[in-house]
Amino acid sequence: MTAIPSPRGACCSVAARLLRTLRSGSALPSELLAALGVTNDALLHLTTHLESLGFDISRHPMLGYTLMEEPQCLTPEAVLSHIEGDWVPEVMALSTTTSTNTEAAERGLLEASGPLAIFAEHQTAGRGRLGRKWEAKAGEGLLVSILLRPNSPQATWTRITTLTALAVSEAIESVTGVYAGIKWPNDILVDSHKVAGILAETGTSPTRGAFLVVGIGLNVNQTDFPPELASKAAALRQILGGKVVNRAALAAKIIDRLGFWIERMEQGFELALKAVTLRSTVLGRQLTLHSGTMSATGTAEALDENGGLLLRLADGELRAFSAGEVSLRGA
Ligand code: ADP
């Protein structure tokens, strides 16, 4: 396992700032030194570092530095360089791991304060709810888990699944122009196909107390799926007719939107609920909800104050569910 940790900063690491500067056009070394506040040696070191990650940077005596090409692999530098908001988690990128949720939880059990976003190119044991397997070929999807230690009461932490679903669907739309719906509680759908799943898990560290890990598996650049998934899963690339999607830009947009909503987790949650309601693929529909051995059939009427589903049963009772699996009638 190779980890590429990235320095944390008010805006982002210097390498990320260099990338961001070069993305807006060629720059002379003197301009870069002034913009980044680094020495000549440091600039050389940063450029060499980025080149070792696969960035192609040309250095011309007259034109200065030009970013010619960016690699497909996901690096903290690339993700951080696309972040626009003030909510900047620490970012790590792993080439392979069992599961990014497990990685993040291990750090939650130790001293990591979060927010910490752990990306992986490949998971050997990626999972969804109830231990179901999450399939993603190495380097094609976006696999990330974010460790959080929310200040708000733990009873409201279920809101974070809702906020993450909203952030992912907004990011998909912003980066690709494709509309994404939310199938309560944790699936993102495009044209009835599942493009992303979300898995939130909690834990308690003996020294730092409770933490939450929210994991996202997003199908980005896959061109095919195993036969059992082919009819129900889709990747953004397939939806876009083969166009490759920049995973670092998409990851950063998810972080930007998640940060925006997490900062409104208490005061702005009503606004988030309205946005989720508009994107919901289940509200207003007849469905059966399964939870453990229990199942209930009714009409999905609304979301409650923590993002739970309010189901109007046949006898008129309105029952709230904080979790469960939804099957839509006739869907
Ligand atoms: P759900 O909440 O819909 O049950 P999970 O979030 O638990 O789903 O994710 C696991 C399930 O998602 C698996 O049972 C499988 O059917 C499906 N799945 C696995 N990998 C993918 C993928 N890459 N894209 C879409 N669906 C997937």
Side-chain angles (χ1 to χ4, degrees):
M1 178 174 69
T2 45
I4 317 161
S6 165
R8 186 172 185 170
C11 172
C12 56
S13 74
V14 193
R17 286 200 322 199
L18 172 56
L19 275 180
R20 193 184 299 185
T21 310
L22 291 179
R23 225 177 261 130
S24 64
S26 303
L28 296 170
S30 57
E31 293 170 332
L32 291 173
L33 297 180
L36 303 174
V38 296
T39 62
N40 232 327
D41 278 358
L43 179 60
L44 191 64
H45 178 78
L46 285 169
T47 317
T48 313
H49 170 64
L50 288 174
E51 284 168 341
S52 75
L53 297 176
F55 291 90
D56 182 2
I57 299 169
S58 98
R59 293 173 232 188
H60 188 275
M62 305 294 285
L63 297 173
Y65 288 51
T66 307
L67 182 58
M68 308 298 288
E69 213 175 312
E70 305 202 28
Q72 279 299 320
C73 73
L74 213 54
T75 57
E77 289 78 358
V79 174
L80 289 167
S81 72
H82 285 283
I83 290 181
E84 289 170 358
D86 301 330
W87 195 78
V88 185
E90 186 183 353
V91 175
M92 290 178 67
L94 310 173
S95 51
T96 183
T97 180
T98 49
S99 135
T100 55
N101 262 34
T102 304
E103 286 280 354
E106 279 170 6
R107 283 161 180 83
L109 287 172
L110 301 171
E111 294 298 300
S113 56
L116 163 67
I118 304 185
F119 291 85
E121 292 289 15
H122 177 59
Q123 292 183 132
T124 54
R127 59 179 190 275
R129 290 183 304 170
L130 307 171
R132 295 181 194 123
K133 194 167 185 289
W134 184 262
E135 300 274 356
K137 270 197 220 155
E140 297 187 344
L142 198 55
L143 306 168
V144 57
S145 294
I146 302 168
L147 168 71
L148 300 165
R149 294 191 191 275
N151 293 324
S152 50
Q154 214 170 328
T156 63
W157 287 11
T158 54
R159 291 179 176 187
I160 290 180
T161 301
T162 306
L163 297 179
T164 307
L166 181 56
V168 171
S169 50
E170 289 176 333
I172 290 173
E173 200 165 306
S174 162
V175 172
T176 68
V178 165
Y179 174 81
I182 300 172
K183 183 180 173 209
W184 185 90
N186 64 340
D187 289 345
I188 309 299
L189 306 184
V190 173
D191 297 334
S192 312
H193 286 83
K194 180 163 164 175
V195 294
I198 290 159
L199 178 68
E201 296 175 311
T202 54
T204 306
S205 132
T207 49
R208 297 293 309 259
F211 63 85
L212 178 95
V213 170
V214 61
I216 301 163
L218 171 53
N219 301 325
V220 187
N221 288 326
Q222 286 96 329
T223 49
D224 55 23
F225 287 94
E228 68 281 8
L229 283 179
S231 64
K232 60 178 190 174
L236 298 176
R237 181 176 177 180
Q238 292 175 313
I239 293 157
L240 295 171
K243 188 168 175 274
V244 173
V245 176
N246 182 327
R247 290 179 307 149
L250 185 58
K253 188 56 86 177
I254 292 173
I255 289 172
D256 277 337
R257 294 312 299 161
L258 187 61
F260 174 88
W261 287 118
I262 281 183
E263 281 167 359
R264 288 158 186 78
M265 190 172 152
E266 289 184 86
Q267 268 76 38
F269 193 67
E270 249 180 67
L271 187 66
L273 278 182
K274 281 190 189 145
V276 174
T277 299
L278 287 173
R279 285 185 188 269
S280 174
T281 64
V282 305
L283 290 178
R285 299 186 66 176
Q286 273 279 315
L287 56 85
T288 300
L289 187 143
H290 308 273
S291 181
T293 54
M294 188 282 314
S295 67
T297 297
T299 306
E301 206 162 284
L303 299 172
D304 71 15
E305 74 283 2
N306 284 326
L309 190 67
L310 294 171
L311 199 61
R312 180 73 65 184
L313 306 180
D315 63 5
E317 184 198 345
L318 190 62
R319 201 184 293 175
F321 295 89
S322 60
E325 183 136 357
V326 159
S327 31
L328 292 167
R329 287 216 183 142

